[in-house]
Each structure stands twice: as structure tokens, then as C-alpha cells.
Amino acid sequence: MNPQQAATSIGEPNIIAIVFFLVFVGFTLAITYWAARKTKTTSEFFTAGGGVSAVQNGFALAGDFMSAASFLGIAGLVALSGFDGLIYSVGWLVGWPVVTFLIAEPLRNLGKYTFADVVAYRLKQTPVRISAAVGTLAVVSFYLIAQMVGAGNLIHMMFGLSYEAAVVIVGVVMILYVLFGGMIATTWVQIVKAVLLLAGATVLALMVLVKFNFNPLALFQAAADQYGPEVLAPGKLVSSPLEAVSLGLALMFGTAGLPHILMRFYTVPNAKAARGSVFYATGLIGYFYLVTFILGFGASVLLGRDAIKLVDKGGNMAAPMLAEAVGGKPFLGFISAVAFATILAVVAGLTLSGAAALSHDLWTSVVRKGKAPEHEQLRVARLASLGLGVLAIFLGIVFKGQNVAFMVGLAFAIAASANFPALLLSMAWKGFTTRGAVASMITGSVSAVLFIFLSPTVQVDLLGHEDALFPLKNPGLVTMPLAFLVGWVVSLLAPEPEAAGRFAEVRHRMHVGAEADAPAPAATPAATPAPVPAPRPQTT
Amino acid sequence: MSQKTKAEELETLAAARWRVAAVLTAGTLVSYFGFILLVAFDKPLMGKLLAPGLSLGILLGALVIAAAWVLTGIYVMWANNKYDKALHQFRR
């Protein structure tokens, strides 16, 4: 492929990588086959029947969140510019405590399958569910495009397959997981992938550190000796404080609005397991980012920046090249297969959450007013998964060669602006109304998309204009407060006494959970049946 | 305690949880945005070497990641001990 690069076999078909990948796919399809036999109800399809333990869900959450982009992207950024990669690692992680403190438990106690269950709990079902589904599908689509395009490029470079073939393989295998195995299979695929990714990154880091007496500081020092002390200091990444704060807000609160992450809280039996699972996930993800930081420095010292840039200008191949340099071709094969598997798993999680919005929120609750029989809900969910899978393949091919960074930024900005404010207000504020929720979600999604379109990322980088109408690359700083403000003002303009009246019920269920329902004291209003079957968490 | 109605008791419980959540969220915000603003406004300070290979920035970045995990841990410990006990009391 690349005559100057005798040292790396990246870009050539790699038999070992393909074998490792086939083993992974075979193993996970076996899991899917096993799960398919257990997936008979909608609850099993969407939430694995609520029977996932806190540790398992912690790994699955980490698996959903640690995408190939963060593994390869951060390692590449550190390899090429040193310290700046750490800024990203920190930003991607800090959303998790917020999820634990504000979201995890109330969400688990109030909802059933989607975060719309929570927002719609005491509000009018139809308008709220439609707008929540719009926000969810927007986030899922942009995230899916980014993952599919990333997958195509990556596999093209690592395995030597064509871009289109890679996109189709990812799409088809992902459809199989979701269609037949539902959440049970998706959860186990995430767990297997998280373990492989953590183990692979750890072994790679140890192989690097062994050359530096297991002292990361010696490695950093070696990088500073080679490239100057600036590699240990902030560089060009954060040029404007406003920009940094805006991106930070989107990353921090976007995590608390990502539908595929929120959906994971319904797979555990209760609020205690929900909070525990975020604790495990935060630890695993934080550890992973710190290891990735070491990999980046390892690559820049052991391979050299020029060699890395020669293969990929963005530095995305730094980690796989490092794997080949310290562990030879078999280890490169292993790391490539893990990266491929990583994309596969993230895409499966996204598809499942999109299918839940289509089937549970739009079909069952809006079209059929909660009267769809179980087998019909399940059929719609499977059709939705199939449709989303095909759409993902199509979009992946259409968007070939596009810059995917802004799509991920967009997904996070929509999640932070459309989903998070409505979710938080519905749980914490008695005065929140149906109109307020709808206005907040629509404002959040529309303004995030609009401002990204007007931002320098699209206007200058993509369209090549001189300058942009909206100065910030990420709109979170404007759109998130705007969504809160609109939700608040619209709710104040036209109060909704029924919604306020049912707040006591929300508070009861949010804190006490569903466990207390069965033998509940007669005085509690929690047992009042809602007009549409209220989202009722599974008690197993 | 015994004089309180169930509704008041729940209100106290809810208020306590939101208070703890708000304080810990504020802690996370301060640590993260403190780090980002230092990066934005004082790059030379962040590049200052504390030991060979260890700049202040790297130390603080790693500390923010560790702090995120520790804050989560504090919440989980509080919730598992105090909050769940109070809930248990309430449920009876």
C-alpha cells in the first residue's frame, strides 16, 4: 500500500485480524442465538427483562461509551500533540458523575423502556412522546452516521477491505444482534467488547511501559526530550475559553441525554443497582482514558510522529501501529479486531435505542394509545431495528469521506439541549407542563442543529466560506440554557394543574421506587392508574 | 419523626437527595471547569514541571478523572448507607 512504510502492514489484508474478528463475531452470534431463545417479551427485548446486575451493566455502559473513536482518536491526538489529548479524555469522562447524581436513580424508578417514559409520566403522552422521539432519533442518526463512516475508514485501513464492504458487514452483523437477541444479546456483546478493549489497551500499555521501567513519567520525559517540553503543556486545542466551556457543557450534559446510555438504566432491577452500575462504568472509562494517554505518548516516542502522520494525517492509526511495533503482526490483528468489534457494539446499542423510540414511544404509545398487544409491540420493535440497520448502512455509504467529528459534536449537543433539560425539569420541577416539555425539546434539537449549521465547523471547514454567522464550533453554551429557559417560560405562561397535581406521585415513585408499590400504604397516591398505562418499572 | 405525615417525610427525603446531588454536581463542575479555564487562561502554569516528565497539567488532568470517580463513589456510599436506610424507614 505504502512503499515508504516497510515497518507497518496497516492497509494490507491481515489474516490474523480477520481470524480474530471472525472468532469475535462467531462468539457473539452464539450469544445472540442463546439470547434469542430468551427474548419473547418486549421487556426482554428492550431491557433484558431488568435482570442485569450492577457490575454487568457497568461494563455494558462502559462498552456503550468507549467507542473506537475515543480509543483511536485520543491516542492519535496525544501521539501528535501530547497533552491536548488529556483535555478530551477529561471532557468525555466528567458527564458520568452528573449522570449518577441527577439521572440514574429517578430514571430507573420512573421509566420503563425509554427516557420519554419519565418526561411523559405526568404530562400528556402524545405530544411529549412525539417530541422526545424526534430528539432521540436525531441523536441516534448523527451518532450512527459518525460510527458507520468511522468504521468504513478504519476497516479499510486496518483490514484492507473496501469501505463499502466494511460498512455493510458492520450493518448486517449489528442487525443480527439487535433483531434476534435484543437487549440481552446487546448487553453481552457490550460486556465482551468492553473486556477485550480494556484488556487489549492494558496489555499494549504494559508492553510500552516495560521499556520505561514501568514508570509513565519516564515515558513522558522521553517524549519531552524528543519533541520539546511543550508536549507536556496545553497546546492549540483550547484557544478560546468560551469555545472550551461550550464543548465542555455539551460533553458533560450530553452524556446524560444520550438515549442508548439512558436506556441501559432500565436493564438493572432497581435504583441501587443503577447507581452502582454508573460507579463501575466511571471507574472503567476513567482507567481506559488514562491508559489511552499512555498509548499516545508511547506511539510518539517509539514510532515517531512522522511515521504516524504518513499512515493517517489525523493520527488515528497511532494505537494499532504501536501494537504492531511492540507485539508484531498478531497483536496488530488482535487490536484491529477489537476496534472493529467496538464499533459493532456501539452501533448495536444505538440501533436498539432508536428502535425503542420508534416502537415504544411512537407506535405503542402514540399510534395505538397503549393498546398494542405484546406480540405486535415486539414485531414493530424488530421491524424498527431492521429499518434502522438498513438506514445506517445507507447513510454510512452516502456520507463516505465526510468529516465525522462534527456529527459526534452534533449528537452530543442535541442530547444536551433537547433531552437533558426536559428530563431534569420533569423530575425536579412541579410546575413543568406538557407545552413546556414539548417547547423545550423542540427548541433544544432545532437550535442545536441550526447553530451547528451556522458554526465555523460547517460554514468554514465544510463549505469553505470565509466566516460563520455563529462563532462557536459547539453550540452547547447557547442551546442548553435556551432549552431550559424556553421550557421554564412556556410552563409559566400556561400552568397545567393536572400535571402539577400528579407531582406528588412522581416524587413518590422517583424516590421510593416501584418496590414499595405492591404493599404500598393505602394513603399513597402512587397506585392511581394513569389514562395511558403509566411507565411501570419491572420488579423482578 | 413520628408526628410527620408520610408526605412530609417523603418531602424531607427528596430534599435531602436533591441537596446531596446538587452539592456533588457543583463539585464536579468546579473541578472540571477549573481545569479547562486554567488550560485556557494560563498555559505556562499548566506546563510547569513538578518532576521530570510530570507537568502540573498532566497531574491536574489525571486528578479531575480521579475526582469524578471519587465523587461518584461518595454519592454511592451516601446513598447505600444513609439514603437507603431512610427509604427503608419510610417504606415501613
Side-chain angles (χ1 to χ4, degrees):
Chain A
M1 276 247 11
N2 201 329
Q4 298 115 307
Q5 277 304 294
T8 176
S9 54
I10 280 175
E12 295 160 18
N14 182 330
I15 301 298
I16 301 153
I18 293 171
V19 169
F20 271 122
F21 182 69
L22 290 179
V23 169
F24 174 84
V25 170
F27 180 60
T28 46
L29 284 179
I31 292 176
T32 307
Y33 177 74
W34 161 78
R37 294 153 49 127
K38 301 183 72 169
T39 305
K40 296 198 173 65
T41 65
T42 12
S43 148
E44 280 150 3
F45 187 81
F46 286 134
T47 67
V52 177
S53 77
V55 179
Q56 290 167 348
N57 197 42
F59 272 91
L61 275 170
D64 255 325
F65 198 69
M66 296 181 300
S67 64
S70 61
F71 173 43
L72 302 175
I74 292 177
L77 191 59
V78 174
L80 296 186
S81 49
F83 177 85
D84 281 357
L86 190 61
I87 303 176
Y88 265 101
S89 302
V90 173
W92 293 112
L93 186 75
V94 287
W96 287 95
V98 176
V99 174
T100 329
F101 307 149
L102 301 178
I103 304 282
E105 293 175 47
L107 193 78
R108 177 65 198 90
N109 281 333
L110 282 172
K112 194 177 176 191
Y113 298 144
T114 65
F115 88 93
D117 290 342
V118 177
V119 184
Y121 194 92
R122 64 194 163 104
L123 306 176
K124 296 198 176 60
Q125 300 287 322
T126 306
V128 172
R129 286 197 187 266
I130 292 175
S131 16
V134 170
T136 297
L137 292 172
V139 175
V140 167
S141 314
F142 287 111
Y143 220 119
L144 264 179
I145 296 175
Q147 295 292 331
M148 291 306 261
V149 174
N153 287 332
L154 241 167
I155 302 323
H156 174 61
M157 296 196 100
M158 286 183 163
F159 286 56
L161 286 175
S162 82
Y163 175 90
E164 286 79 7
V167 169
V168 171
I169 292 174
V170 169
V172 168
V173 178
M174 169 269 282
I175 290 173
L176 292 178
Y177 292 157
V178 178
L179 196 59
F180 297 108
M183 187 53 117
I184 302 175
T186 306
T187 301
W188 282 103
V189 170
Q190 296 292 14
I191 295 173
V192 171
K193 162 245 163 131
V195 169
L196 282 178
L197 188 57
L198 286 163
T202 303
V203 171
L204 187 49
L206 288 176
M207 286 165 106
V208 170
L209 285 178
V210 83
K211 299 187 196 300
F212 299 91
N213 292 320
F214 292 102
N215 179 2
L217 296 185
L219 167 63
F220 301 158
Q221 188 53 48
D225 291 343
Q226 205 167 332
Y227 300 102
E230 11 357 313
V231 294
L232 304 179
K236 282 173 284 185
L237 187 67
V238 174
S239 46
S240 129
L242 269 188
E243 193 78 76
V245 170
S246 193
L247 175 69
L249 278 178
L251 289 179
M252 203 166 190
F253 296 103
T255 308
L258 291 175
H260 64 302
I261 299 291
L262 296 179
M263 195 176 173
R264 287 234 144 264
F265 292 112
Y266 302 125
T267 64
V268 290
N270 52 42
K272 186 175 181 175
R275 76 171 83 102
S277 60
V278 204
F279 179 62
Y280 293 117
T282 312
L284 292 172
I285 298 168
Y287 165 78
F288 175 72
Y289 283 152
L290 291 176
V291 168
T292 310
F293 190 67
I294 290 175
L295 298 186
F297 271 112
S300 73
V301 171
L302 299 177
L303 304 169
R305 285 179 179 171
D306 295 335
I308 297 170
K309 272 193 256 182
L310 214 54
V311 173
D312 177 62
K313 272 195 211 110
N316 290 317
M317 291 299 121
M321 288 173 72
L322 182 66
E324 188 174 23
V326 296
K329 235 176 154 179
F331 199 51
L332 167 67
F334 176 71
I335 290 289
S336 306
V338 168
F340 202 169
T342 287
I343 300 177
L344 207 54
V346 171
V347 173
L350 282 166
T351 305
L352 194 58
S353 67
L358 284 169
S359 156
H360 177 64
D361 291 332
L362 288 185
W363 181 261
T364 308
S365 303
V366 173
V367 180
R368 301 282 267 137
K369 305 284 178 213
K371 290 200 197 76
E374 182 83 25
H375 65 90
E376 180 186 311
Q377 296 181 30
L378 207 55
R379 197 167 61 222
V380 174
R382 291 207 157 111
L383 276 176
S385 315
L386 186 63
L388 282 168
V390 173
L391 184 73
I393 295 176
F394 174 74
L395 291 175
I397 292 174
V398 168
F399 280 82
K400 178 181 179 177
Q402 288 296 314
N403 171 349
V404 294
F406 88 94
M407 288 177 195
V408 174
L410 187 48
F412 267 81
I414 299 175
S417 324
N419 298 351
F420 176 71
L423 189 56
L424 191 66
L425 285 173
S426 70
M427 295 188 301
W429 185 36
K430 190 178 177 180
F432 203 40
T433 67
T434 303
R435 285 194 185 127
V438 171
S440 167
M441 290 189 278
I442 299 294
T443 307
S445 21
V446 172
S447 65
V449 174
L450 184 72
F451 284 164
I452 288 244
F453 179 74
L454 299 175
S455 77
T457 322
V458 172
Q459 296 293 323
V460 180
D461 298 352
L462 276 178
L463 301 177
H465 293 163
E466 281 286 294
D467 54 352
L469 268 171
F470 184 76
L472 296 174
K473 284 184 185 158
N474 191 297
L477 186 61
V478 178
T479 54
M480 205 179 89
L482 188 68
F484 270 114
L485 187 72
V486 168
W488 181 63
V489 170
V490 172
S491 296
L492 285 183
L493 286 179
E496 190 175 336
E498 313 91 272
R502 292 188 62 204
F503 189 67
E505 182 189 332
V506 165
R507 186 155 59 191
H508 185 271
R509 162 120 34 194
M510 184 162 73
H511 290 87
V512 182
E515 296 99 308
D517 276 5
T524 57
T528 324
V532 169
R536 188 168 282 260
Q538 228 64 30
T539 30
T540 41
Chain B
M1 266 307 260
S2 57
Q3 298 308 92
K4 269 189 180 173
T5 66
K6 275 288 184 195
E8 282 166 351
E9 214 180 298
L10 183 63
E11 200 153 329
T12 321
L13 210 63
R17 202 196 86 89
W18 283 121
R19 204 164 46 237
V20 170
V23 168
L24 290 172
T25 305
T28 315
L29 283 168
V30 167
S31 74
Y32 174 54
F33 285 106
F35 171 74
I36 286 293
L37 292 176
L38 273 178
V39 165
F41 285 111
D42 202 343
K43 291 191 169 74
L45 175 73
M46 293 300 255
K48 214 172 139 189
L49 285 186
L50 303 173
L54 182 68
S55 66
L56 182 64
I58 291 182
L59 179 70
L60 289 181
L63 281 180
V64 174
I65 291 185
W69 194 59
V70 169
L71 285 170
T72 310
I74 290 174
Y75 176 79
V76 171
M77 266 169 53
W78 172 80
N80 282 354
N81 295 313
K82 294 244 169 101
Y83 180 64
D84 278 356
K85 276 207 189 86
L87 264 183
H88 188 68
Q89 283 282 320
F90 173 82
R91 284 202 190 107
R92 282 194 308 173

